[in-house]
Structures are given as C-alpha cells and as structure tokens.
Amino acid sequence: MLHKLTAHELHEKLISKETSAVELCKDVFERIKAVESKVKAYISLTEEKALFTANKVDEKVKSSENLSPLAGIPTAIKDNMCTKGVKTTCASKILKNFVPVYSSTAVEKLFNENIVMTGKTNMDEFAMGSSTENSSFWPTSNPWDLRTVPGGSSGGSAAAVAADEAIFALGSDTGGSIRQPASLCGVVGMKPTYGLVSRYGLVAFASSLDQIGPITKDVTDCALVLNAICGKDPMDSTSLNTKTLDYTEALVNDVKGLKVGVPKEFMGEGIDLKVKKMVEDALMLFEKMGAIVEETSLSHVDYALSAYYLIAPAEASSNLARFDGVRYGYRTRQKVEDMIEMYSKTRAEGFGSEVKRRIMLGAYALSAGYYEAYYGQAQKVRTLIIEDFNKAFEKYDVLVSPTSPTVAFKIGEKVEDPLKMYMSDVCTIPANLAGIPAISIPCGLTDGLPVGLQIMGKALDEITILRAAYAFEQEFWFKEKPALFGR
Ligand code: GLN
C-alpha cells in the first residue's frame, strides 16, 4: 500500500529504513499493473531504469548519504518533456519514435534529486486539448469514473497520480493543462510564474505561455517538487534569475488577515451551479479561518479565451514548423515529387486534426493583412488583462475561483465541438496570459466527481498561494480515493 502515500510520507519511511526504494518501486509497478489497463495513463513505462535507480538510492541509504526529499520517489513525466534515451512522443504520430539525446532541465533536476521515473504519460497531442482525447494513441480515463475524461492536456499525469500509479508527476500548462486535469482528477496541480521553471527540453507549444509544474497528492509535495525544479537556466533565456526560496516555508497553517479577492467573472455564466456552490463553501471556510473574502472584478478577463485562441495557435504554428520530416520524427512513405510535397504529406499524415486546426488558425492570424487585426489585437487584450491583475493584486493577496467550470465530462462528449472543449479553460487561461502563478486544490466532490479550487497569486509569489492552499488543506483534507470503475 506504499503507493497510496505522499512523497513526504515516503521520505520519512525511506530515511528511517522502514521501507526501501526498491520495495517502493516494486509496489508502484504492481499498482500500475493492476489498474493501468483501466486508466491508460502512460504512453511508456520505464520499469527497468526505475529499479536500477531505486537500487542506487538504497545504496545511498546504506552508506548514510544525505537523501534529498524526493530521492527514490516514483515519478511520472508528461510525454512532452525530453528524457534522454527514453521515447518522447508528445502523443503525436509525428514523434512516435523520437528518442531525445538529452533531458529537459526540469527532468534533469529531478534526476539530480534521484527520483525514480516510472514512465511517460499520455496527453493531448502537442498539449493541445482539455481531455487527453486528442492523444494520437488512446484516451486516458478518469480514475473517479472511467467513463469520464481526466482533463487535459496533462491528463495522463493527473490520472496517474490520482490512481496511485505514481507518487507525483510533472505536467505542462499553456492554458490550464496542469490545473484543469488536477481539478478533474482530485489532485493538486500548480502552474508556476512564467519563467520560474526552465522550458528547455519541453517540446514547445506556445512559448510565451508554456510552463512546467508539479501534479501532486498534497500541497506539501507540491512545494517540495517546486523547490527541486525551479531556477535560472542558461539554456532558457526566458527563465528568471530570482532569489532561491524554500517553498516549504509557505507550509504554515495561517491565513489570518489574508485578503482574498473573488473575481465575479469567474463565478458567472458557464460555471456549473454545483461547482459554484463548492467554491462558495470553500470561500466560507477561508473566512472562518480568518481570511478576508471580497468580490472583485477583472474587467477584461471575458476576452481572455478569445485572445488565447489567437496567441497560442499563432505561436504553435511557428513552433511546429520544425516538424517537416527532415531532421527528426516521422516522414511520409508515399512517393513524392519534391521537398514541398514531402513536407506536406509528412505533416498531413503526422499531425492529428486538432493540431492541424491550430496550425491553420495560427498561420491565418499571423498572415499579412490580418496580423494587426487578429494577433496584434489579441496582444493588446493580453496587456489589458495583465493590468487588471496588477490592479487586483494591489488590493488582494490572492484571487480565488473554480479551476474548471465543470467536473469531469464523459469521454466523447465534447470531441465534435472544439468551441465547447475550449470553454474548459475559461478559468485557467487568464493566469497564463498574465504569467502569474496559480494552483488547483481539491475542494470536494459533487456527484462523486472532484471539484478544484483555483488560487492565483502575484508573479513570483508562489509562497502566498501555497500558504493559502496549505491552510485550506489542513481544514479540508481530501481523504477520498477514486473508485476506479465506471458508475
Ligand atoms: N486546453 C488548452 C488548449 O487546448 C490548454 C492546453 C495547455 O495548457 N497545454 O490549448
């Protein structure tokens, strides 16, 4: 039953020699074998490598070396982060057999802490989606009800953690892809401030929005993982040179006097009434704990979704130009007359329909004559949203909202209607546009499915959102575990 525990609980057991890293690793792989055929969270498993690392951790314990808090902890990595010698597919046919020759910085940093990688998790192709149904391999199921989606695009990572197939995972978040699946799967997910975690080795979707972050079972683990992955990286010029903080210092149960703003735009139309009710209950709990809760407004946030669906596809159309069948990845086997035909056949066969839709949207928004009207306009909206947040944070320490407008929806329910699917991220996208940190924590179940509470903070103020999240978690410890069957 070791797989049920958190990283910090397991660390205690490892250093007290109550268990060993090998025992833990074997326990988690047994769990994977028992439930993976139902959940399908992983694209690939790396059991042999995992056992090898676990052995090394045990040797360190034996020789009384200092163990990092994450040493020996079974960890799942979203399949858009490069892992040296291990296939990295982005859940796309075009990268189906791509084996990177280096690891992304965030993953490398975890390896330096001696984590035990269990495997690479399923996702929407190139992280485009909100349900993991855009994976070109298979959809992942939500462990709470196998007929529903785990959210996306980091659905494999969130489902793996929720089903105890990993103790924690890394995800990436461009418009909500860590927080929304965390919300739908009843786990903790954080998108750090843009630039706090290096994007080097993360396959780029929309470079001005992408950010890597932790998906964990509780807030303490979230702080521990953030400690391990953050920091300036010479390989990513957008990574920030900030003071090194110890995020576990945020783990104090005290929100007295904390000023909580509730933007009314996040509580209105489109938000499921049951979800809204759970968020209101959570806000009442914050008040009871001594926080000051007030309604506020972010007046331009209603335009966030529209701006995002110009900016993100624009950047994607440029980033995905590199997949041309020449340097790496899939190449068409059809007979072709020239290079152009080879490019277009490769891309037509290699990319799925959502990816193609984004590339076309983006190329259109960036084309001469339309650039100012679409892309330029969206950038201006982005600035207005940033200003709205700046103003709100003059008055409030954190802003709170639902993470997702609904609980997990049925597999297949929204695949035919991209606009409906895009709505899944109305509450999460604004934080990406503004570059600010945000966390999703479970705040209860409705009809047996988890609801997530989003806490947003000022740029580089992860400490305050972690403090609020931790205090909430102490009052409202989410004990339930998913049933792992369709109801
Ligand atoms: N669902 C959003 C999209 O499809 C966000 C994805 C993400 O954060 N990677 O673009």
Side-chain angles (χ1 to χ4, degrees):
M1 285 299 159
L2 292 171
H3 55 265
K4 284 205 178 344
L5 303 179
T6 61
H8 60 94
E9 288 165 344
L10 288 164
H11 178 67
E12 295 301 320
K13 292 198 186 295
L14 288 171
I15 51 172
S16 66
K17 302 201 174 96
E18 202 182 308
T19 187
S20 71
V22 167
E23 206 180 323
L24 168 60
C25 180
K26 286 186 175 155
D27 181 80
V28 169
F29 274 96
E30 258 167 49
R31 173 70 177 171
I32 293 173
K33 270 158 215 156
V35 302
E36 178 61 4
S37 64
K38 293 182 179 176
V39 184
K40 302 201 266 326
Y42 286 95
I43 290 175
S44 47
L45 289 165
T46 49
E47 186 169 3
E48 225 173 274
K49 267 186 200 289
L51 276 170
F52 180 80
T53 323
N55 253 308
K56 287 220 308 223
V57 171
D58 286 339
E59 276 164 29
K60 282 184 198 287
V61 178
K62 241 183 250 149
S63 58
S64 307
E65 262 181 64
N66 251 347
L67 272 203
S68 102
L70 299 177
I73 304 298
T75 307
I77 305 290
K78 186 176 182 181
D79 211 19
N80 60 349
M81 288 168 226
C82 287
T83 40
K84 188 175 172 182
V86 175
K87 244 188 343 203
T88 299
T89 68
C90 275
S92 181
K93 201 174 154 194
I94 215 157
L95 285 177
K96 204 167 111 191
N97 295 312
F98 173 59
V99 180
V101 292
Y102 67 101
S103 290
S104 58
T105 299
V107 172
E108 194 65 46
K109 280 179 176 250
L110 290 181
F111 286 157
N112 291 341
E113 307 269 319
N114 300 301
I115 60 113
V116 168
M117 182 172 84
T118 47
K120 306 290 297 286
T121 55
N122 200 15
M123 54 185 279
D124 288 297
E125 185 177 5
F126 286 102
M128 298 173 186
S130 311
S131 68
T132 313
E133 289 164 295
N134 292 338
S135 164
S136 68
F137 301 124
W138 50 77
T140 294
S141 279
N142 189 320
W144 291 88
D145 180 345
L146 298 170
R147 296 166 306 177
T148 66
V149 302
S153 62
S154 312
S157 284
V161 174
D164 297 318
E165 293 185 72
I167 305 305
F168 77 91
L170 287 189
S172 70
D173 192 313
T174 305
S177 280
I178 290 174
R179 290 159 286 158
Q180 186 257 11
S183 168
L184 269 47
C185 290
V187 293
V188 174
M190 179 196 250
K191 179 199 92 73
T193 303
Y194 181 77
L196 187 62
V197 179
S198 166
R199 289 180 297 111
Y200 179 68
L202 168 71
V203 180
F205 164 9
S207 312
S208 77
L209 300 158
D210 298 343
Q211 196 48 199
I212 292 174
I215 296 180
T216 57
K217 295 183 185 182
D218 71 359
V219 178
T220 302
D221 279 8
C222 180
L224 289 171
V225 178
L226 191 61
N227 273 352
I229 61 176
C230 70
K232 175 74 185 160
D233 177 12
M235 302 304 278
D236 173 4
S237 60
T238 62
S239 73
L240 297 169
N241 205 352
T242 55
K243 195 163 84 230
T244 330
L245 297 173
D246 176 2
Y247 293 102
T248 61
E249 282 174 11
L251 308 177
V252 287
N253 187 2
D254 178 16
V255 288
K256 266 183 220 80
L258 187 84
K259 293 202 200 85
V260 178
V262 186
K264 61 173 192 280
E265 293 78 8
F266 290 75
M267 294 291 265
E269 209 190 320
I271 308 296
D272 181 280
L273 290 178
K274 288 182 181 160
V275 169
K276 189 174 164 190
K277 170 80 175 56
M278 305 240 63
V279 172
E280 283 165 353
D281 289 351
L283 288 166
M284 262 155 61
L285 190 55
F286 267 114
E287 268 185 334
K288 220 179 93 197
M289 292 188 291
I292 301 152
V293 180
E294 266 176 34
E295 188 183 85
T296 182
S297 169
L298 297 166
S299 47
H300 299 93
V301 93
D302 286 343
Y303 304 105
L305 196 69
S306 313
Y308 173 86
Y309 276 99
L310 288 165
I311 295 168
E315 293 184 18
S317 72
S318 156
N319 274 327
L320 270 59
R322 72 190 63 166
F323 302 104
D324 55 8
V326 177
R327 283 160 291 188
Y328 42 70
Y330 175 79
R331 176 185 293 184
T332 182
R333 300 219 167 73
Q334 291 187 59
K335 225 174 121 319
V336 291
E337 295 297 324
D338 54 21
M339 284 288 277
I340 300 292
E341 201 185 344
M342 191 280 284
Y343 293 154
S344 55
K345 288 223 158 85
T346 296
R347 290 165 67 82
E349 292 163 22
F351 289 136
S353 53
E354 182 61 26
V355 174
K356 286 180 197 158
R357 181 163 28 241
R358 306 276 179 116
I359 292 173
M360 286 191 285
L361 249 169
Y364 182 78
L366 290 176
S367 56
Y370 294 112
Y371 184 95
E372 252 319 303
Y374 293 115
Y375 185 72
Q377 208 58 18
Q379 291 291 26
K380 285 181 193 152
V381 171
R382 185 175 190 174
T383 302
L384 291 172
I385 290 169
I386 294 171
E387 286 170 2
D388 281 353
F389 273 113
N390 286 344
K391 229 186 281 150
F393 286 125
E394 278 170 18
K395 203 156 167 214
Y396 301 105
D397 300 309
V398 296
L399 297 174
V400 169
S401 77
T403 306
S404 158
T406 66
V407 292
F409 43 92
K410 290 259 154 55
I411 293 177
E413 193 181 316
K414 298 188 182 173
V415 272
E416 299 304 330
D417 189 346
L419 290 184
K420 235 189 200 166
M421 190 70 93
Y422 295 172
M423 286 299 292
S424 309
D425 299 296
V426 275
C427 301
T428 48
I429 279 173
N432 297 78
L433 289 173
I436 58 171
I439 191 169
S440 178
I441 51 170
C443 68
L445 294 176
T446 167
D447 300 328
L449 292 169
V451 176
L453 183 76
Q454 175 172 240
I455 307 173
M456 297 170 272
K458 280 185 245 238
L460 293 175
D461 196 14
E462 276 76 6
I463 290 275
T464 303
I465 60 174
L466 283 166
R467 176 159 70 99
Y470 181 78
F472 183 79
E473 188 185 66
Q474 301 318 298
E475 294 300 313
F476 187 88
W477 176 229
F478 190 68
K479 285 194 201 71
E480 278 102 330
K481 284 275 181 186
L484 275 162
F485 55 76
R487 280 170 301 116

